[in-house]
Amino acid sequence: MAGSGTFSEIIDGDVYKYYVDGQWNKSSSGKSVPIINPTTRKTHYKVQACTQEEVNNVIDSAKKAQKLWAKTPLWKRAELLHKAAAILKENKAPIAECLVKEIAKPAKDAVTEVVRSGDLVSYCAEEGVRILGEGKFLVSDSFPGNDRTKYCLTSKIPLGVVLAIPPFNYPVNLAISKIAPALIAGNSIVLKPPTQGAVAALHMVHCFHLAGFPKGLIGCVTGKGSEIGDFLTMHPGVNCISFTGGDTGISISRKAGMIPLQMELGGKDACIVLEDADLDLAVANIVKGGFSYSGQRCTAVKVVLVMEQIASSLVKKVNEKVAKLTVGAPEDNCDITPVVTESSANFIEGLVKDAKEKKATFCQEYKREGNLIWPLLLDNVRPDMRIAWEEPFGPVLPVIRIKTVEEGIHHCNASNFGLQGCVFTSDINKAIMISDAMETGTVQINSAPARGPDHFPFQGLKDSGIGSQGITNSINIMTKVKTTVINLPAPSYTMG
Ligand code: G3H
């Protein structure tokens, strides 16, 4: 059970504590923030509403702990990470339970998220030992006009305090993807989990606590973004921000100042289907890519651009599969579960109404109960409809019929997003040409967009992000290069 046994010290009464200087504390605010279960729409958990002073304390403590951590041998840092990974996996059940209750993630996917996170921590420890254990050696006479009088040694050093802000849809995994690279690289971490998903994140932090990381190295504050959000992201004690989420990332990037940023924001991931595609493969990927976790993934298929000649067959096959999707509670492992908040459901409904007014073809009847929205395929969508451009982050998928490949690429590139895209074709040359033409961070050939495996580079162009993720890239972003130059005597004084 969440909050009991191993996790009993992280809760007081019915309010979860925040984590500072190696301890679980109550906020002096005396206030809490409710977490509404998307399925029941009732308060399920409560977390502390931390104050700005408490944020200061967490950052100060992280700053102090980092100094010593940076000098801790790499193998020792890796050892602790491996320990945390094991504890995390041992506790997959109570953590997954939080994901089910807080964000309505289907039970099986919730367990997968925790296990995937444990694997990520282990891989990160191994990768860190390799790449941080290497430096470069340069000599000066390879640059014109220089003699061999300078030797340059490079190494990677940590940045300091990394602020990690994960989104609601992966509150454990997308926190871990920031925490593990930061720690192996010698940084400390201040985590601000999303409100929905905060309790799962607090359980995950406790696994790091149990692994025995030094006091203060990891801090976790909860509370309202409106009270501590800007305070955290503009805090002079923060040396790097790793953020995943929506538009808020754009305003964070404007306010953050001169520190490295790693940002994964939204996407309108297009799926281009050509006449020569393996239709069954495309259909399976469109349904999985468009509707898994009810479309609440930045990498979900968010618009299908299909060649006119095969559009009707594709739509028919997609509809057959959509009809088989189960709809209901996350506890029952349904494919489609309630979206995270009522306002998200209202936003999705707004897009559906707009498409209705503008005469899109509804392949299913629009149905909603509370936050639960039944899967919906909209055919014959046109560029004047909002759904053609905006990301619903819900189980509604638009299909645009195209006459030429160029039309599909044009639609994809006209978006302000540029996260991922995919193309289905049996012609590898065409696939590569299309990949080159699509203005997205990644193009998948014959598969739906996806972030993983977690060591692959993952990045968005345009409004979809800054910097690249993936384990190696994250370690690199969370370090800076330090050089030491050895100046030798001028050649005339050398021997021989
Ligand atoms: O929602 C954004 C995530 O980065 C998507 O990750 O492709 O593993 O579902 P995923």
Side-chain angles (χ1 to χ4, degrees), residues 60-131:
D60 281 354
S61 165
K63 206 156 233 2
K64 281 187 198 123
Q66 191 270 332
K67 301 276 178 242
L68 203 60
W69 182 245
K71 304 211 174 336
T72 303
L74 248 179
W75 66 264
K76 182 81 191 155
R77 292 184 220 156
E79 195 175 78
L80 282 172
L81 281 166
H82 281 302
K83 206 164 161 196
I87 299 173
L88 196 64
K89 284 187 183 179
E90 275 160 29
N91 289 289
K92 59 180 188 277
I95 301 176
E97 181 195 321
C98 302
L99 295 172
V100 169
K101 302 298 182 198
E102 288 183 280
I103 60 165
K105 185 161 273 198
K108 241 164 105 184
D109 295 349
V111 172
T112 306
E113 174 170 347
V114 183
V115 174
R116 172 182 179 182
S117 304
D119 292 341
L120 197 160
V121 175
S122 301
Y123 190 105
C124 199
E126 288 163 20
E127 184 70 351
V129 166
R130 287 185 205 112
I131 66 171

Side-chain angles (χ1 to χ4, degrees), residues 183-470:
L183 292 179
I184 192 67
N187 300 287
S188 57
I189 273 283
V190 172
L191 173 68
K192 164 64 179 78
T195 299
Q196 305 283 145
V199 174
L202 292 169
H203 280 71
M204 175 271 294
V205 167
H206 195 54
C207 295
F208 282 78
H209 171 83
L210 295 173
F213 281 87
K215 278 183 182 180
L217 191 70
I218 302 166
C220 181
V221 285
T222 52
K224 285 198 181 304
S226 54
E227 274 165 41
I228 56 169
D230 278 355
F231 189 73
L232 266 166
T233 54
M234 294 166 75
H235 199 290
V238 167
N239 306 108
C240 171
I241 301 176
S242 180
F243 171 93
T244 308
D247 288 355
T248 322
I250 297 177
S251 65
I252 291 177
S253 71
R254 291 195 181 116
K255 293 175 191 163
M258 219 170 72
I259 55 172
L261 300 176
Q262 185 184 43
M263 301 251 161
E264 178 203 344
L265 312 183
K268 184 72 184 172
D269 302 13
C271 173
I272 299 180
V273 189
L274 304 190
E275 311 92 309
D276 62 355
D278 174 337
L279 218 52
D280 290 330
L281 179 72
V283 167
N285 275 276
I286 287 168
V287 175
K288 186 161 182 278
F291 295 103
S292 60
Y293 189 35
S294 307
Q296 298 175 107
R297 296 164 55 238
C298 57
T299 48
V301 171
K302 299 212 178 96
V303 57
V304 177
L305 301 157
V306 56
M307 293 295 284
E308 219 165 42
Q309 302 90 312
I310 53 160
S312 296
S313 325
L314 180 106
V315 166
K316 184 169 171 280
K317 281 172 179 272
V318 171
N319 281 331
E320 281 161 13
K321 278 204 180 290
V322 167
K324 291 189 186 137
L325 295 174
T326 53
V327 182
E331 288 85 352
D332 299 334
N333 232 344
C334 288
D335 299 313
I336 304 295
T337 55
V339 295
V340 69
T341 59
E342 192 175 341
S343 62
S344 308
N346 292 342
F347 175 78
I348 297 163
E349 188 161 298
L351 294 179
V352 171
K353 278 186 179 157
D354 175 78
K356 179 132 213 146
E357 277 160 24
K358 293 174 183 158
K359 310 258 183 297
T361 307
F362 278 53
C363 299
Q364 295 78 22
E365 196 189 335
Y366 173 65
K367 193 172 163 196
R368 169 181 173 186
E369 276 172 19
N371 293 2
L372 186 60
I373 293 176
W374 269 250
L376 176 61
L377 191 75
L378 298 173
D379 193 7
N380 295 306
V381 165
R382 291 185 320 270
D384 63 326
M385 298 175 192
R386 286 177 56 201
I387 193 80
W389 304 104
E390 295 178 43
E391 52 170 350
F393 235 68
V396 178
L397 182 58
V399 176
I400 299 180
R401 296 176 178 230
I402 51 171
K403 290 188 177 61
T404 61
V405 178
E406 289 70 25
E407 195 185 331
I409 293 169
H410 176 77
H411 185 91
C412 169
N413 292 350
S415 169
N416 57 323
F417 292 117
L419 190 61
Q420 289 210 359
C422 63
V423 52
F424 285 85
T425 172
S426 51
D427 184 334
I428 188 65
N429 293 333
K430 268 193 215 163
I432 289 174
M433 283 193 293
I434 291 170
S435 170
D436 284 349
M438 282 170 96
E439 294 168 0
T440 58
T442 303
V443 173
Q444 303 267 352
I445 296 172
N446 291 329
S447 184
R451 170 167 49 109
D454 290 319
H455 65 307
F456 278 17
F458 178 54
Q459 53 282 315
L461 307 184
K462 301 190 271 188
D463 285 354
S464 287
I466 302 176
S468 182
Q469 294 183 79

